[in-house]
Amino acid sequence: MSAVPAAVAPPTGIAGLRARFREGKASLLKPFGESRASVAHATRLVRALCRHVDATLADLWDHAMMPPGAALVAVGGYGRGELFPYSDVDVLVLLPDGIDGSNDALKSAIEGFITACWDIGLEIGSSVRTVAECIAEAQADVTVQTALLESRFLCGARRLFTTFCKASTAAMEPRAFLRAKTLEMRQRHQKYEDTPYSLEPNCKESPGGLRDLQVLVWVARAAGLGKSWSEMAANGLITPFEVKQLQRNEGLLRLIRARLHVVAGRREDRLVFDLQTAVAESFGYQPTKGQRVSEVLMRRYYWAAKAVTQLNQILMLNIEERVNGSAGAPMQPINERFLDRGGMLEVASDDLYEREPHAILETFLVFQQTPGLEGLSARTLRALYNAREVMNVDFRRDPRNHAMFMRILQAPEGQTHAFRLMNQTSVLGRYLWVFRRIVGQMQHDLFHVYTVDQHILM
């Protein structure tokens, strides 16, 4: 990727800053748009765009002659250090407590700074607050609290930013934040049809999208469990295998979103029907004998979204246990292999499926037949996720597994819930290999709203 060209001397006016900003951004987007970009290329792009905007904002801050006691802070996704080609740039102008916001000189400087941002082509989202006002707003609105959680210092008074960080940390209530973000996530999922498999998914907001991964980082960070996948692993929250899966799927979703922005030439996070073919072609995908090029792309997306959904569920349950102390929930034995743990089906040991592979299908028979079970516990979900290699040819040929599957199929009720749960946990496609071939398979038309596997289960 080409670097942003360095100027010998900073531009002296808005026109010069505008020209440098646009030329620098174009020099980053052009090679990305012209290449068959990789996940690593997309990661470098969103970070390089962020650094380019950082430098531009610092120049604009100086140009506006902002008061020395104020600080400019990146918040939201921009604060995270990632900036997609046409994403908003969210900033906080942080003022010292007790400052008179109605001061004409200060007001003029702030207005000049924000206007200049728009003038050079930055789609800026800005707020102007003191530290005390930030804390009050955060306690009243979890969206504000989330944006401030990922704050990053840009320029100005660093000591004020340090004070702000300490106040924000002291005001954080991990349990309340977890409850609010869990509710917010459920409402968002409902808004997007509660499925990763819709015809035109939003790669940021839909279930299985980038937002589901960001929620994990937010709640873990608020609880002091880590600010990254590696820190969460060091704290025993996730396994090394899960770290690799999270990084791989996050990278693919990031690449798809960056590609979508470049192809659309605007901020567009939905894989809308009319853009799917163009995005697929930008990846260099080719149609196969049975699939259009758009269907190749969408199947890859759906598999990533499905993995993110599984990992999100596992980690949210684990974080909830850490934060709420629900690890001590009452347990009632069901048989020697399974327990009812507060309404969730739990394996009696982490290595159950490695020792007794036939217990994998028994999981869903027990779930189907045991009244009061609401789902699978984090421990069970993790055990299933890590036992996928156990479900091989020998597993599919085992007569005990045939008999177990038929018991689920022939039960008087509960097949719908059992089979949907088997599909969500990737067990159904690994047991019925022919079913695996249709998981995430879509048809590029406006009639088939869901993927083939979802249609069949319905």
Side-chain angles (χ1 to χ4, degrees):
M1 179 180 292
S2 60
V4 179
V8 175
T12 56
I14 293 299
L17 287 168
R18 183 192 301 118
R20 189 182 70 171
F21 173 71
R22 291 180 176 177
E23 289 169 7
K25 184 174 180 178
S27 72
L28 293 171
L29 293 185
K30 185 178 179 182
F32 181 78
E34 292 176 348
S35 69
R36 300 293 182 238
S38 65
V39 167
H41 197 169
T43 300
R44 289 196 300 271
L45 173 68
V46 298
R47 291 175 180 168
L49 285 170
C50 188
R51 290 194 298 271
H52 181 46
V53 171
D54 286 355
T56 302
L57 285 172
D59 286 337
L60 289 171
W61 183 265
D62 291 338
H63 182 271
M65 300 181 67
M66 296 294 288
L72 183 63
V73 180
V75 295
Y78 177 45
R80 192 163 51 246
E82 294 181 353
L83 199 60
F84 287 85
Y86 294 97
S87 290
D88 288 344
V89 176
D90 294 323
V91 296
L92 164 67
V93 176
L94 191 61
L95 303 176
D97 287 336
I99 197 167
D100 184 5
S102 62
N103 179 282
D104 288 341
L106 176 61
K107 190 174 181 181
S108 177
I110 293 172
E111 288 177 352
F113 171 71
I114 301 300
T115 301
C117 289
W118 283 101
D119 283 348
I120 71 163
L122 281 171
E123 292 193 20
I124 203 86
S126 61
S127 56
V128 181
R129 299 188 182 107
T130 64
V131 173
E133 288 170 343
C134 285
I135 302 306
E137 287 288 333
Q139 291 176 335
D141 187 341
V142 72
T143 302
V144 174
Q145 188 174 35
T146 305
L148 297 180
L149 186 65
E150 296 184 301
S151 305
R152 183 168 57 87
F153 176 78
L154 291 176
C155 56
R158 184 177 287 276
R159 183 175 294 180
L160 178 62
F161 175 71
T162 302
T163 301
F164 160 75
C165 290
K166 290 179 179 177
S168 295
T169 301
M172 175 62 71
E173 297 180 9
R175 289 189 181 185
F177 185 77
L178 174 62
R179 284 196 303 271
K181 297 311 292 184
T182 301
L183 176 61
E184 186 180 83
M185 184 172 68
R186 289 172 181 166
Q187 291 172 338
R188 174 171 51 82
H189 285 179
Q190 290 174 355
K191 178 181 176 181
Y192 289 94
E193 304 175 79
D194 216 12
T195 177
Y197 306 110
S198 60
L199 179 68
E200 297 180 315
N202 186 308
C203 64
K204 177 184 175 184
E205 301 286 354
S206 287
L210 284 166
R211 183 67 82 206
D212 280 2
L213 294 173
Q214 292 161 5
V215 168
L216 293 172
V217 177
W218 292 335
V219 295
R221 185 170 184 164
L225 297 172
K227 300 177 183 179
S228 65
W229 306 129
S230 57
E231 287 186 17
M232 291 182 213
N235 286 322
L237 192 64
I238 52 180
T239 67
F241 173 71
E242 289 163 353
V243 170
K244 291 180 181 179
Q245 294 297 310
L246 286 161
Q247 291 173 335
R248 183 166 68 88
N249 290 293
E250 182 179 38
L252 176 59
L253 293 175
R254 185 186 290 123
L255 174 58
I256 290 174
R257 189 184 179 201
R259 276 279 177 212
L260 189 53
H261 276 213
V262 171
V263 168
R266 63 181 187 275
R267 186 180 63 200
E268 177 59 84
D269 295 327
R270 290 188 309 143
L271 276 162
V272 293
F273 198 72
D274 292 341
L275 289 175
Q276 288 173 10
T277 297
V279 173
E281 289 173 347
S282 78
F283 273 78
Y285 290 153
Q286 298 294 326
T288 66
K289 186 176 180 180
Q291 288 183 309
R292 299 179 185 183
V293 66
S294 59
E295 294 167 358
V296 176
L297 167 71
M298 294 309 296
R299 189 174 195 198
R300 193 176 179 195
Y301 169 81
Y302 290 132
W303 276 71
K306 182 176 184 178
V308 168
T309 301
Q310 290 175 284
L311 290 163
N312 173 272
Q313 188 177 12
I314 292 170
L315 297 189
M316 285 297 284
L317 287 170
N318 273 298
I319 293 170
E320 185 178 347
E321 288 181 359
R322 292 282 191 98
V323 173
N324 295 331
S326 55
M331 291 190 285
Q332 180 69 35
I334 296 174
N335 58 33
E336 60 184 10
R337 288 171 295 282
F338 296 100
L339 309 163
D340 178 346
R341 182 180 181 180
M344 307 298 280
L345 181 61
E346 174 142 323
V347 290
S349 61
D350 292 329
D351 63 346
L352 171 64
Y353 299 134
E354 282 75 18
R355 291 187 293 101
E356 302 180 54
H358 65 275
I360 292 174
L361 291 185
E362 185 187 5
T363 304
F364 302 94
L365 180 65
V366 171
F367 173 75
Q368 183 183 33
Q369 294 181 342
T370 306
L373 289 178
E374 299 173 3
L376 306 182
S377 71
R379 190 179 183 189
T380 305
L381 288 168
R382 173 168 279 162
L384 284 172
Y385 193 80
N386 287 281
R388 289 179 297 171
E389 298 304 317
V390 173
M391 292 176 270
N392 52 23
V393 174
D394 292 336
F395 178 86
R396 289 187 283 276
R397 291 176 177 172
D398 191 326
R400 289 180 298 178
N401 290 331
H402 294 176
M404 192 73 69
F405 187 82
M406 290 306 296
R407 287 181 66 186
I408 297 171
L409 192 62
Q410 294 173 344
E413 59 183 4
Q415 288 89 346
T416 301
H417 295 300
F419 283 125
R420 282 184 175 167
L421 189 58
M422 288 174 73
N423 192 38
Q424 289 168 15
T425 52
S426 299
V427 172
L428 188 57
R430 287 184 176 269
Y431 177 68
L432 296 177
W433 202 249
V434 67
F435 191 87
R436 181 179 173 83
R437 291 165 55 188
I438 62 167
V439 172
Q441 173 63 45
M442 68 162 287
Q443 291 178 267
H444 193 98
D445 57 55
L446 292 173
F447 176 74
H448 294 92
V449 180
Y450 299 109
T451 53
V452 179
D453 58 312
Q454 295 299 306
H455 268 294
I456 287 177
L457 288 174
M458 287 179 182

